[in-house]
C-alpha cells in the first residue's frame, strides 16, 4: 500500500515538472548554456569608455564562445539549427601594479539558433542571465526584440556580429 502511494506521488510530481517544462518551452525560454566554457573561444572585447553608447549595459570585458554547430556558422556564414553563442561579460579590476584583471561576471547573453521556434527573429532566440541568478532567464519579449533588432544589422552574416579570430 505504501509502495503504491509513493509511486502515485512520484507520478504526480513528474507530470507537474514536465508540465512546467512545457510552459517554459512554449514561452520560448532558453536554458543557461552550462558547459559553454568548454566550447571554442571566438574572441574577446573591451568596452571601457563611459562615453560609449553601450557602456551602461555592456561596459567591461567580454568573451564570446561558440558550440561546434556555431563554429560551422563562423566558417561557412550559415549558422545551422542547434548553434549556440555566448557573450560572457565581466567587470574590470584595476590592480596596484597598473594592470587590469578580469572581475566578476556582470551578465551572460545567449543566442540559440532554431529556425522554426524563433522564426520571428530570423531563427535566433535571445536570452540573458544575471550573475546574481545564473539559472533564471530575464528578458521580456520586448527586450528580446531589441536584441534581434540590433543584430539584424548583420543580416548578411547570419545576424552574428563577431568573427572568429584564428
Ligand atoms: C546595439 C546593438 C546590440 C544590441 C541591442 C545587442 N547586441 Fe549582442 N552584440 C552586439 C555586437 C556589436 C556584438 C559583437 C561584440 C564583439 O565582436 O566583441 C554582439 C555580440 C553578441 C553575442 C555573440 C555573438 C555575436 O553576434 O557576435 C551574443 C550571444 C549577443 N550579442 C547576444 C545579445 C543579446 C541576448 C542581446 C539582448 C539582450 C543583445 N545581444 C543585444 C550588438 C548588440
Amino acid at each position: 500500500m505504501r509502495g503504491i502511494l509513493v509511486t502515485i506521488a512520484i507520478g504526480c510530481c513528474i507530470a507537474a515538472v514536465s508540465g512546467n517544462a512545457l510552459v517554459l518551452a512554449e514561452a520560448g525560454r532558453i536554458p543557461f548554456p552550462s558547459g559553454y566554457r568548454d566550447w571554442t573561444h571566438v574572441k574577446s572585447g573591451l568596452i571601457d569608455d563611459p562615453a560609449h553608447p553601450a557602456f551602461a549595459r555592456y561596459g567591461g570585458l567580454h568573451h564570446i564562445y561558440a558550440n561546434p554547430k556555431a563554429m560551422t556558422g563562423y566558417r561557412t556564414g550559415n549558422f545551422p539549427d542547434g548553434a549556440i553563442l555566448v557573450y560572457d561579460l565581466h567587470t574590470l579590476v584595476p590592480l596596484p601594479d597598473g594592470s587590469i584583471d578580469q572581475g566578476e561576471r556582470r551578465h551572460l547573453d545567449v543566442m540559440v539558433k532554431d529556425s522554426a521556434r524563433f522564426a520571428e527573429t530570423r531563427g535566433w532566440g535571445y536570452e540573458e542571465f544575471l550573475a546574481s541568478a545564473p539559472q533564471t532567464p530575464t528578458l521580456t519579449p520586448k527586450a528580446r526584440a531589441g536584441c534581434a533588432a540590433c543584430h539584424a544589422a548583420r543580416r548578411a552574416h547570419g545576424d552574428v556580429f563577431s568573427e572568429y579570430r584564428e
Side-chain angles (χ1 to χ4, degrees):
M1 185 61 188
R2 214 177 178 178
I4 293 172
L5 275 181
V6 169
T7 314
I8 291 171
I10 290 174
C12 117
C13 295
I14 289 173
V17 167
S18 47
N20 276 343
L22 203 71
V23 170
L24 285 177
E26 275 166 10
R29 307 291 17 200
I30 289 168
F32 186 85
S34 44
Y36 74 93
R37 294 281 275 111
D38 292 331
W39 299 350
T40 302
H41 172 243
V42 175
K43 62 161 287 199
S44 295
L46 183 66
I47 299 180
D48 67 344
D49 182 352
H52 190 283
F55 182 79
R57 255 177 75 70
Y58 287 100
L61 175 66
H62 61 261
H63 310 293
I64 296 175
Y65 297 91
N67 75 350
K69 283 190 174 164
M71 284 311 295
T72 302
Y74 280 110
R75 282 189 210 103
T76 64
N78 208 339
F79 287 81
D81 281 0
I84 308 179
L85 292 162
V86 166
Y87 181 107
D88 194 9
L89 177 66
H90 294 260
T91 59
L92 299 174
V93 181
L95 299 180
D97 66 2
S99 64
I100 299 175
D101 200 5
Q102 168 176 319
E104 294 182 348
R105 173 168 299 127
R106 288 194 66 192
H107 58 76
L108 187 145
D109 284 0
V110 186
M111 291 166 65
V112 173
K113 187 77 183 269
D114 185 330
S115 311
R117 191 172 158 201
F118 303 116
E120 276 182 14
T121 42
R122 290 174 309 284
W124 285 108
Y126 293 82
E127 197 46 84
E128 184 164 288
F129 300 88
L130 305 181
S132 52
Q135 303 298 330
T136 311
T138 59
L139 297 182
T140 60
K142 194 178 166 205
R144 291 198 289 268
C147 310
C150 184
H151 277 255
R154 290 283 285 174
R155 203 167 285 225
H157 266 261
D159 285 19
V160 173
F161 277 101
S162 52
E163 287 177 19
Y164 179 71
R165 306 290 167 85
E166 291 294 341

